[in-house]
Amino acid sequence: MNEERARKLARHRVGEEHHMGIPMTDEEIKLRREYMSNMIRRVPTWQEVKDEQLDDMRIYKRGNDWYIEDQDLYEYNF
C-alpha cells in the first residue's frame, strides 16, 4: 500500500548524508513529498514549505501523537 510505504519513508530524511536519512529513488521522493505535504497542509507554519525543505524534514508517530522534525532537528507535535 502506498500510504504505508510513504509513512515509512517520511520517518527518514532524503539522502544518507542527513541525520536519520536514507537513500531514496525519485519515485520514493515524490511519494514521500506528497504524503508529507498532505499531512502538514493545515499547519500554517509549514503550508509554504518547498520540496527541498521537505526533503530535510521528517514526520513520525509516537504513541497517539504525530511529530515533525524540521531541518534544525527541532521536534514539533501537531
Side-chain angles (χ1 to χ4, degrees), residues 8 21 26 31 37 77:
K8 288 178 182 178
D26 290 342
L31 179 66
S37 293
N77 179 266

Side-chain angles (χ1 to χ4, degrees), residues 1-2 12 25 29 36 39 42 46 49 68 76-77:
M1 176 184 219
N2 275 347
H12 301 278
T25 66
I29 292 169
M36 290 182 70
M39 290 288 290
R42 292 192 181 111
W46 294 300
V49 172
I68 189 163
Y76 302 90
N77 179 266

